[in-house]
Structure formats: structure tokens, C-alpha cells
Amino acid sequence: MKKMFFVSALGLISFSAFSQDAVNKAMVDQLRKDKEKSDKGVTDPKASAKAAFWMDRATTYSSIASQSSELDSSAAKTAFEAYKKAAEIDPKKAKDAQKFLTGEDPSLFNAFVRQGAEKYQNKNLVGALEMFQLAQQVNAKDTLASLYGGIAAQQIDKKEEAKTQFEKYAENGGKDPSVFYGLAQLYRAENNFDKAVATLNKGLERSPNNKDLKSEVVNILLASGKEDQAIAELTNLTKSDPTNVQNIVNLGILYDNMNTKLGTKIKNIQGRLGAGASQKADLTKKLEDEKGKIEVYDGEIKRISALNKKAPKPDLKRQLADVTAKRKESTTAIEALNAQITAAAASAGKGENQAVLQDSLNILKTQKTTANNEAIAAYKKVLELDAANYDALYNLGVFYFNEAVELKREVDNMSMTDYQAKGKEVEGRVCGRFKKAKPYFEKAIQVKDEADAKENLATVNSVLEQFEGKKVVCVEE
């Protein structure tokens, strides 16, 4: 996750550098004397009763804040309070004081920002935040103090205050995209995804071409489970920036993930759609296996009986008894399986609206085909732009590898009859998929020596050797 810190931004504030020449030393000395005189006057009933005294005090402390903070690092705050005091005492002076208190004269505002920045640079973040907050009381429409206030608040983990400051920055017309990015992160951290996306979109209104904001919209949509919207946003990004390889990789991954999730949903509906039928198919496979055993047992009984007839032996008699007993067990199993198949057939289709489920299944299959094709197209587009892109190479290898595994599962679940009819043809397609995955894993390993790619390649090579031993012809589609 991208973090937003603006240390360098605060460093841009210009501070006057005073050399210790006689003139500047005299200025500091004079400010020190004026400060001491003003501080003494606060306790003088006559002096402190006059608005002019407070106006002078405000001027003195404002000058200290702007020119010599070493005398008082919070001088701007004292100046602020002095202007307010002058306005309270004498309505005639109120107008003059209000110019500073409302920012019409920017000197007090600038003093707060300056001393806030100084505190920030001295790691006094709490003090810095206070200065920036007071600056906003002077000029609520300025973006500078709210920007720096948000930065300080974020770094002392005052998230609510950081959000408040950055929202003010945005409301006042701030345009810095990193602020909108950081504010969105604060909302994302509390799972307020809608607000996070709205913040990013507001930032994009002011910085329409900012890639970080656009990409983060996609990331937050994904985090909130809105994959369709994320794909739409990322598709727009790939169109506006067709050579951005990472965006295309990410789009391929999104479609890849969607393909996998749709596959899971399809299996679920198929299970519900044919619960009884599926059970019937499993039972039928077992039935055919038992019938196959009967054929074997019959052959053995015939062979042993012939041998026993020619030359009776106790051992042959025992073998004949064993085989006959096993045949009887299979016969009993066949009777039980036939009964279970009848029951499964009767239960198939009950309990749910089969037509609705079938419609849902058809829609999901269409969506899966689209996701499947889009994922492959995205990965291949990446390789056109960057033939050595590890993610695209590895993901394509995994894609074809998983397709092979699914087809292999189909072969494993075939009954003996189905296997005899089409098992070899499907195995050829399984072999073809593994063969198709192989070069992608090989190239991926050349780019990056990763354990996952090496392990998958080893599995592919082992499977292909087994198919070669079985004389299976690989069919690449």
C-alpha cells in the first residue's frame, strides 16, 4: 500500500536565513527587548487595559514568529491572542485587528504556517498540527495550512483529524493528487470503499491523467468485491495507455480469477442440478466395475475347472472355491448397486427448479468462456509487448496446466464403457494441454528462477513421460 508522507513538501517553505552580522543581531536584540517590555506590560493594569498595547504586542510577536522564532517558537499564537484582545477592548481597533484575524492581511497566517513548519522539522508534530489548525482559523479558505495540517495529523496517527484536514484541502480547491490518494487510503483502511473511490474520482477531476489515482480506483474496487467495475476501469486504462504492460497483466489476472470463480459456481450448480444423476453415474461406474469382475471370475472358474478335470488337485479345488466366493460377492454387490441406481434415478431432478438452474448454468458457462478468452488474450498481448514478462509467462503456463488437470479429472471419472469409447481421445487432449503449458514454464524459469515455476515444469515433464509410455498422442488445440 502506498503511504503518503510530505516531508519534502514542508521543506519547500522558504525560511529567511539571517547571518549573524551586526544589523541582524541588532534586530534580534531589539525584538528581545520589545518582547520583554510587552511581557512586563501584561501585568501592568494600566497598559493591559488599552487596545493599543495589545495591538503593539501582536505586532511584536508576529514579527518574532516571522523573523526570529528562537525567541519564542509559538509567537504566532501569542500574536493571535493579542489581536483578539485588542478587538474585545476597543471596537475602534477591532477593524484593524480583524484584518489580521481574518487573513485580509496575510502576515499572521504566514506566521502560523512558518512556525508550524519549523515545529514539523524539529519533530514536534503535535505543536505543528496546532499551528496549522490556528492558521486555518485565520484563513479557512487557504489550502496550504490544511495540507500541512493533514500531513502532521497523519504522522502522529490522528486519522480522523487527518481526514478532516485533507477534506478541507479538497473543499478549498486543492489539486495535489497525492493528497487524494492518501485520503482514499485512510477511508480504505476502515473499509469505507465507496468514500475511498469517491475521493479518488474527485482527485481525477482535478488531475485527469494521473495513473496512480486511476490504478488505485481499480485496487479498491477489487478490495470491495466489485470485480466487474474493476475490470471496466482497468479496460479503460489499457485503452488510454495501450503500452502499459502492468495494466494489461492485471487485466489478465482479473479475468483469470473470474474464470476460476465461475468454474467453481458452475460445479456447484451442476451438483445441485444433477445430484441424483451424479450419484447414479457414480453408481453406474461401480456397477460396470463389478460386472467386469464377474467376467474375470467366470474366465478363471472356466480355466480352473478345466485344469481340475484333467488332473484334480487340492490346490485347484481351493482356488476354484475362492474364485466362486468372490463371484458371489460381486453378484450380491451388483444387486445392491442396481437397487441404489433405481433410487438415485427416482430422486434426480427433485427439490429445485431444474429449468432455472439450467438457465443459470448456461449463463455462467458463457461468462466463463468470455473470461477464459479475455485472460489468454491479455497475457498474449503482454508477451507481444514484453516477451520476457514473467507474470504473463507463468500465468499462461498455469492456465493451460489447470485446463489439463480439469480434463484429467474427466478421464478419471469415466466409467469403463465411457473410457473405452472416448477415453483415449480425451487423454490426448489432456496431454496436449500439458504440452502447451510446458514452453511457458520453461521461458518463465529463464526469466526468473522461481520454485513454483520449476515445480510445475517438473510435474508437466513427468506427466508427458507417462503419456509417452502409454503411447498417447498429444492433441494440441
Side-chain angles (χ1 to χ4, degrees), residues 418-437:
D418 286 340
Y419 182 80
Q420 290 173 346
K422 58 179 181 179
K424 290 291 183 181
E425 182 267 331
V426 178
E427 279 190 334
R429 291 166 58 205
V430 173
C431 180
R433 285 292 195 283
F434 278 120
K435 190 173 181 180
K436 202 168 184 178

Side-chain angles (χ1 to χ4, degrees), residues 148-209:
Y148 296 154
I151 297 167
Q154 189 181 36
Q155 293 199 35
I156 55 178
D157 206 31
K158 289 192 172 184
K159 295 183 176 65
E160 290 303 316
E161 182 60 27
K163 286 191 294 184
T164 298
Q165 293 290 317
F166 290 141
E167 287 287 6
K168 285 180 181 178
Y169 173 85
E171 288 168 11
N172 289 339
K175 296 181 180 180
D176 190 333
S178 61
V179 175
F180 292 93
Y181 188 103
L183 181 56
Q185 293 301 310
L186 291 171
Y187 286 121
R188 179 179 180 174
E190 57 190 28
N191 294 329
N192 191 345
F193 298 117
D194 290 342
K195 187 69 174 176
V197 171
T199 299
L200 292 167
N201 286 333
K202 187 182 290 184
L204 284 167
E205 289 174 7
R206 298 171 194 184
S207 303
N209 298 317

Side-chain angles (χ1 to χ4, degrees), residues 3 25 34 68 80 83 154 214 220 245 277 288 348 363 371 390 409 412 417 446 474:
K3 291 188 178 180
K25 186 176 185 305
D34 292 343
S68 190
F80 180 65
Y83 280 127
Q154 189 181 36
K214 290 179 179 179
I220 292 177
V245 171
E288 290 178 355
I363 291 171
Y390 177 85
R409 188 175 289 116
D412 293 340
T417 301
Q446 291 173 10
C474 297

